[in-house]
């Protein structure tokens, strides 16, 4: 999730090299037309559409520790939503 302006929020996907977000108004922004993050974001949107567009409150957020040693990107946390 990113705050683009005080009144504009977006959700999206990032890696150390790429980024893509979808704004509240449905506008999608990405670092390039072939962005790997854009591919992931579009996959998420397709899955959401196929699930009949469930409301945000139907999901449970979970933080999962990410370790750099596993080759899964930088150490830190991943936010995962489950239903």
């Amino acid at each position: 999730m990113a705050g683009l302006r005080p009144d504009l929020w977006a959700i999206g996907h990032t890696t150390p090299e790429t980024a893509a977000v979808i704004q509240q108004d449905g506008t999608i922004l990405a670092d390039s037309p072939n962005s790997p993050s854009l591919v992931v974001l579009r996959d998420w949107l397709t899955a959401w559409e196929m699930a009949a567009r469930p409301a945000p409150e139907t999901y449970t957020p979970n933080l999962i520790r990410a370790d750099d040693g596993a080759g899964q990107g930088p150490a830190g946390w991943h936010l995962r939503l489950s239903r």
Side-chain angles (χ1 to χ4, degrees), residues 33-49:
N34 298 318
S35 170
S37 288
L38 182 57
V39 171
V40 171
L41 183 63
R42 287 186 170 147
D43 287 346
W44 289 348
L45 289 170
T46 298
W48 179 69
E49 291 277 344

Side-chain angles (χ1 to χ4, degrees), residues 3-52:
L4 303 177
R5 292 193 307 260
D7 61 341
L8 181 62
W9 288 90
I11 59 170
H13 181 272
T14 63
T15 71
E17 293 86 26
T18 68
V21 297
I22 183 166
Q23 298 177 164
Q24 291 166 304
D25 66 359
T27 301
I28 296 175
L29 303 172
D31 56 288
S32 75
N34 298 318
S35 170
S37 288
L38 182 57
V39 171
V40 171
L41 183 63
R42 287 186 170 147
D43 287 346
W44 289 348
L45 289 170
T46 298
W48 179 69
E49 291 277 344
M50 292 180 72

